[in-house]
Amino acid sequence: MSGRTITRAQLSERVYEEVGLSRNESAELLEMVLDEISTALSEGEAVKISSFGSFSVRQKGERIGRNPKTGEEVPILPRKVLVFRPSQLLKSQINDSAKNGSGQHH
Amino acid sequence: MTKSELIARLAERNPHLYQRDVERIVSCIFDEIAAALARGDRVELRGFGAFSVKHRDARTGRNPRTGEAVDVDEKAVPYFKTGKQLRELLNDGEAADAAE
């Protein structure tokens, strides 16, 4: 387990190596992918990426919360939350490498 | 929207690309995120969200049908935390602020 953080830069570099578009266009394509997913979700559409996982939007009802500092009751407004459900394949990919790899615990 | 619909929408926005290349780009992105998580890395896409791996300790579970105790091994599970911008987009930029 290396524990690094991958960002847009490394992802678009991989796209650049894979397809042979310019670096600029690779970055743009990555942005478009995220943009299409975000737009679909904001329109209430679930997004299913086979062998990776699915994203869906869940509506949460209003509930009473509490300001932990003041103890004051505040209503938490009804809102939408995004839920990611990893595919079986992604789950097993992550567990196989955790077992065979560095054998880390926590 | 499925992966193939995503590819079709991207192909429409990029008429200069072969659909086959759009397919490779989309697969490459998700494969790379999966590979990073399998290495134990985090993937942070600011504004969209962050993928990470959480560890679950071994525990004794129960077969819900028989009530029998079963040992569940420790395991790693992928986790996604929605980014601020996307969270606001889902809530039209209002409720998300009020809820914090």
Side-chain angles (χ1 to χ4, degrees):
Chain A
M1 164 175 284
S2 53
R4 288 176 310 164
T5 297
I6 304 300
T7 63
R8 279 176 172 77
Q10 289 97 320
L11 278 188
S12 66
E13 186 67 19
R14 285 290 300 121
V15 172
Y16 166 74
E17 288 164 6
E18 174 80 17
V19 191
L21 300 175
S22 72
R23 281 204 164 83
N24 238 330
E25 203 171 12
S26 303
E28 273 170 32
L29 258 301
L30 170 61
E31 219 46 59
M32 275 188 228
V33 168
L34 301 180
D35 179 63
E36 287 292 342
I37 295 174
S38 303
T39 303
L41 290 167
S42 73
E43 287 167 356
E45 210 183 335
V47 176
K48 289 181 188 165
I49 307 296
S50 63
S51 80
F52 184 79
S54 65
F55 300 86
S56 56
V57 177
R58 200 171 287 168
Q59 174 76 51
K60 294 270 204 170
E62 176 167 334
R63 63 187 172 90
I64 303 298
R66 218 173 255 284
N67 180 327
K69 214 175 285 182
T70 64
E72 190 190 354
E73 285 190 350
V74 275
I76 295 177
L77 299 175
R79 65 202 199 284
K80 288 173 182 160
V81 294
L82 178 52
V83 184
F84 173 64
R85 290 203 60 216
S87 74
Q88 205 51 53
L89 184 73
L90 182 60
K91 286 197 232 174
S92 56
Q93 242 177 308
I94 285 167
N95 275 288
D96 290 351
S97 71
K99 269 179 214 138
N100 307 332
S102 40
Q104 86 294 334
H105 296 278
H106 306 287
Chain B
M1 178 170 76
T2 61
K3 185 173 168 184
S4 41
E5 283 161 356
L6 170 62
I7 290 164
R9 288 179 202 188
L10 290 164
E12 212 173 297
R13 281 173 72 175
N14 296 276
H16 61 295
L17 296 179
Y18 290 113
Q19 167 128 354
R20 203 192 52 208
D21 285 339
V22 177
E23 249 175 74
R24 283 174 60 196
I25 291 163
V26 170
S27 296
C28 171
I29 291 169
F30 289 108
D31 289 352
E32 193 53 30
I33 295 174
L37 293 174
R39 288 195 300 267
D41 290 346
R42 262 168 62 80
V43 179
E44 188 179 305
L45 302 165
R46 196 140 305 176
F48 183 77
F51 296 90
S52 59
V53 176
K54 293 203 167 184
H55 292 273
R56 302 266 179 264
D57 284 334
R59 63 190 170 87
T60 305
R62 260 173 210 289
N63 179 329
R65 201 175 324 194
T66 64
E68 193 187 351
V70 278
D71 289 330
V72 181
D73 282 347
E74 66 170 331
K75 64 180 173 187
V77 293
Y79 175 75
F80 177 75
K81 183 174 192 288
T82 313
K84 188 161 187 266
Q85 219 178 301
L86 179 53
R87 202 168 57 218
E88 286 172 356
L89 181 68
L90 295 178
N91 291 286
D92 304 310
E94 297 159 29
D97 292 328
E100 279 188 70

